[in-house]
Amino acid sequence: MYIVIVYDVNVKRVNNVKKFLRQHLHWVQNSVFEGEVTRAEYERIRAGLREIIDEDEDSVVIYRLRSRPFREILGTEKNPLEDVI
């Protein structure tokens, strides 16, 4: 499955969330990650985020898609997918 994760977390935890997600997904722009994952990887990411965030204060939105969506970029792309090896 293809997932897109967007988050708005307290500044105390933002670097931990970003560091964790960079291990699993492609950074698209500030507070946005995406990538193709297996069901097991998805569950690991979800569980890892639950350990890092404060659910009373932070917000993480995970979009699950069946395949990689069409992306249209307006303006400057911060981290092109072509840069991924």
Side-chain angles (χ1 to χ4, degrees):
M1 83 181 78
Y2 199 86
I3 62 173
V4 177
I5 297 180
V6 296
Y7 59 91
D8 183 6
V9 300
N10 186 292
V11 69
K12 295 182 285 188
R13 290 177 290 280
V14 73
N15 284 333
N16 290 336
V17 170
K18 187 165 96 173
K19 183 178 178 181
F20 174 77
L21 289 175
R22 280 191 166 185
Q23 295 173 24
H24 303 280
L25 299 167
H26 177 72
W27 174 72
V28 178
Q29 65 182 37
N30 295 345
S31 303
V32 181
F33 284 81
E34 65 182 48
E36 188 78 35
V37 297
T38 65
R39 182 67 173 189
E41 289 169 324
Y42 167 75
E43 294 298 337
R44 264 194 305 277
I45 290 168
R46 205 166 155 263
L49 287 170
R50 283 184 178 269
E51 289 179 16
I52 297 169
I53 69 167
D54 178 344
E55 292 190 35
D56 294 327
E57 187 177 338
D58 302 327
S59 174
V60 176
V61 179
I62 303 173
Y63 296 94
R64 293 186 307 174
L65 307 158
R66 292 175 194 240
S67 62
R68 184 173 173 186
F70 171 76
R71 295 173 76 228
E72 179 179 5
I73 310 302
L74 303 176
T76 303
E77 186 170 11
K78 293 197 175 211
N79 196 19
L81 286 173
E82 293 78 37
D83 289 351
V84 176
I85 298 175

